[in-house]
Amino acid sequence: SGQATRMDALRTGLRELGYSVESRNISFEVRAADGKYDELPKLAAELVAVKVDVLVAFGSKAVVAAKGATATIPIVVPSSGDPVDLGVVSGLSRPGGNVTGIAIFGPELTAKWLALLKEAVPRIARVGLLRNSANPYRMTTADAVRAAAKSLKLELHAFDVRSPKDFDGAFAAMAKARIDAVLVSGDTLFQAHWPEVTSLAANQRLPSVGRREFAEAGGLIGYGQDDAELYRPGASFVHRILKGAKPAALPVERPTR
């Protein structure tokens, strides 16, 4: 899954800094919600209860849950939406609390996806936005996509899902609405089921766009940062904190490629 790949990248980054389970100088407690956001607060509380030294939160909803579970244990988020908008840091240059890490350009990136889709397939007029309505950050990203759609003279139609069992119904609704192409949100739920989503899009001959890994899973277009370039540097935040740095003093970084 996408999360397993990210965990591997984080482990690789830590190994390059001298940490490994084999060396017995680090251990991992892993909890995965697999897109079931309601479970995140409980999972975060479990990690706080075992008194981990650093919490690593994979994504926007996870960091919000982690922040809700502890105000003292350092939290590193290797990839999230704008942490200021999420309310987990005071500012990017001075986080001011127990959270730091790397923030992606979510709304800007998603608007770029739509422009690339129009450039690749100029005939399209009606675009479906496949999103998880349980994720408030992805919902705010939709505002940027609507603005981009208006400038490109495209009709944007949102199709909400909350679990993998909703995929078939969403694509059936797209067929009924005569959708010409589909933009797939980078939500964790979709990341875990990209092959299924890309197969449904291909079966309906829908040009599709999403994250970089989305194309690797069979989508038409993928654009974005390499997750390894986020999660391996994310390891440096863990390293600095374990060496005594305070999250409040570690500026939140942005991807460079």
Side-chain angles (χ1 to χ4, degrees):
S1 73
Q3 292 296 59
T5 300
R6 290 162 178 75
M7 189 66 198
D8 288 343
L10 181 68
R11 288 177 190 266
T12 298
L14 287 166
R15 190 174 298 112
E16 291 170 351
L17 291 165
Y19 299 93
S20 68
V21 174
E22 295 77 13
S23 300
R24 297 186 178 181
N25 60 0
I26 196 168
S27 63
F28 298 94
E29 288 279 348
V30 181
R31 302 290 188 278
D34 192 26
K36 299 172 184 174
Y37 292 133
D38 290 346
E39 294 186 8
L40 285 170
K42 175 177 71 79
L43 297 176
E46 288 179 9
L47 293 174
V48 170
V50 297
K51 299 181 180 178
V52 295
D53 295 302
V54 181
L55 260 170
V56 178
F58 291 73
S60 300
K61 289 289 287 184
V63 72
V64 170
K67 179 67 174 175
T70 178
T72 55
I73 296 176
I75 299 168
V76 171
V77 52
S79 173
S80 79
D82 188 328
V84 178
D85 284 350
L86 291 170
V88 296
V89 303
S90 299
L92 298 184
S93 61
R94 294 180 178 274
N98 64 323
V99 177
T100 189
I102 301 170
I104 61 173
F105 298 92
E108 301 92 337
L109 200 59
T110 313
K112 176 70 172 178
W113 292 349
L114 196 59
L116 287 170
L117 195 58
K118 176 66 174 177
E119 183 180 351
V121 194
R123 64 170 176 78
I124 62 174
R126 298 165 65 84
V127 177
L129 170 61
L130 190 66
R131 68 185 184 186
N132 185 348
S133 55
N135 188 334
Y137 179 70
R138 295 298 171 191
M139 298 292 279
T140 59
T141 298
D143 294 338
V145 184
R146 290 191 191 94
K150 185 176 181 180
S151 68
L152 293 166
K153 296 181 172 56
L154 294 171
E155 287 185 30
L156 188 70
H157 300 262
F159 296 86
D160 293 332
V161 300
R162 284 178 173 262
S163 75
K165 70 177 184 292
D166 297 331
F167 290 153
D168 286 337
F171 276 89
M174 287 185 209
K176 188 174 182 180
R178 294 177 297 166
I179 294 299
D180 300 316
V182 59
L183 185 154
V184 181
S185 163
D187 189 90
T188 306
L189 171 63
F190 304 132
Q191 293 174 30
H193 299 276
W194 270 328
E196 183 178 349
V197 174
T198 57
S199 177
L200 286 165
N203 288 342
Q204 290 188 202
R205 299 196 174 196
L206 288 176
S208 57
V209 66
R211 291 171 57 118
R212 175 182 178 276
E213 302 91 340
F214 174 75
E216 294 171 352
L220 177 63
I221 300 172
Y223 181 80
Q225 67 284 332
D226 182 344
D227 274 339
E229 292 190 10
L230 298 180
Y231 284 76
R232 288 171 73 174
S236 72
F237 282 91
V238 175
H239 171 65
R240 283 177 281 173
I241 288 169
L242 291 176
K243 292 297 182 182
K246 302 299 183 186
L250 294 176
V252 175
E253 298 178 4
R254 292 282 201 175
T256 55
R257 294 174 59 191

